Amino acid sequence: MPRNRLFEPRINAPPSMRACDHPGCASAGEFRAPRTRELTDYYWFCLDHVRSYNASWNYYAGMKEAEIETELRNDMVGQRPSWRFGSRVPWSLRQRVQDFGLLDESGDAPPKPRARPHSPQEKALAIFDLSLPLTLAAFKARYKELVKRHHPDANGGDKEAEERLKIINQAYSTLKASYFS
């Protein structure tokens, strides 16, 4: 198999000797320093001159404050373009993303306040459809009404009614222990 000549090491390659680009310096220019902000063209200096050049070189020299701000913001994302969340969702996927509630019609994230989890007492009050302040008489009357409506015997032995009655009984225990113990 023939060897690729591009990857063969150069054994007898002469060292590239550049002269230092600083006026009047006869040393070898081994270190590069940028000529412009585009970083495409370089000076070649010796170690002493590259240190003094780098100490005095200002990347932002000649730029206005707004240009510097734009440059710094672009550096925050690695000079890559950025866009608002959801603005580049392909049309074929847009409906699926919107179904999850991530985006509204304009592509912006909807302002939804984050709801805290409900306490067991709040859940039990919601099951009973009651609100505070709670009286013992109203509480017991509502419990009797819900038991009559959801008891399995009143619903022909329905399993869903039985499960609903278990939830009602658990809510009853929670509320009784919390407010009427």
Side-chain angles (χ1 to χ4, degrees):
M1 172 183 264
R3 292 180 57 172
N4 189 345
R5 299 194 60 74
L6 290 175
F7 296 109
E8 287 183 9
R10 291 184 182 177
I11 297 171
N12 297 327
S16 60
M17 295 297 291
R18 290 191 170 103
C20 179
D21 284 334
H22 192 271
C25 182
S27 299
E30 301 177 54
F31 304 96
R32 69 182 192 172
R35 290 180 189 247
T36 62
R37 273 195 295 271
E38 287 75 37
L39 305 177
T40 57
D41 194 19
Y42 298 94
Y43 292 115
W44 289 90
F45 292 121
C46 63
L47 183 60
D48 292 332
H49 290 123
V50 78
R51 285 180 178 162
S52 64
Y53 180 83
N54 285 341
S56 64
W57 191 67
N58 182 1
Y59 179 85
Y60 299 108
M63 293 177 81
K64 296 179 179 145
E65 190 172 330
E67 293 172 326
I68 294 172
E69 181 70 25
T70 302
E71 189 74 21
L72 290 174
R73 288 189 183 273
N74 285 336
D75 282 343
M76 289 171 64
V77 293
Q79 298 289 342
R80 293 189 173 114
S82 61
W83 41 84
R84 296 179 71 169
F85 178 73
S87 64
R88 296 181 50 97
V89 175
W91 184 253
S92 60
L93 299 177
R94 185 171 293 274
Q95 189 60 41
R96 278 191 248 162
V97 171
Q98 287 176 343
D99 288 344
F100 288 117
L102 296 175
L103 306 173
D104 64 3
E105 290 298 320
S106 65
D108 296 334
K112 292 183 182 176
R114 190 175 178 126
R116 64 174 180 77
H118 294 292
S119 68
Q121 291 83 7
E122 290 172 327
K123 290 177 182 177
L125 284 170
I127 290 169
F128 273 72
D129 195 23
L130 294 173
S131 61
L132 296 176
L134 189 60
T135 64
L136 185 59
F139 173 59
K140 285 188 174 186
R142 182 68 177 151
Y143 175 68
K144 286 179 184 178
E145 179 187 334
L146 289 174
V147 167
K148 283 181 183 178
R149 185 182 318 157
H150 296 287
H151 197 280
D153 291 344
N155 290 295
D158 186 21
K159 289 289 186 186
E160 289 180 20
E162 183 179 341
E163 292 301 316
R164 179 73 179 153
L165 184 62
K166 288 179 184 177
I167 293 170
I168 292 168
N169 286 331
Q170 181 63 41
Y172 177 80
S173 300
T174 302
L175 290 176
K176 188 168 183 185
S178 298
Y179 298 111
F180 304 110
S181 58

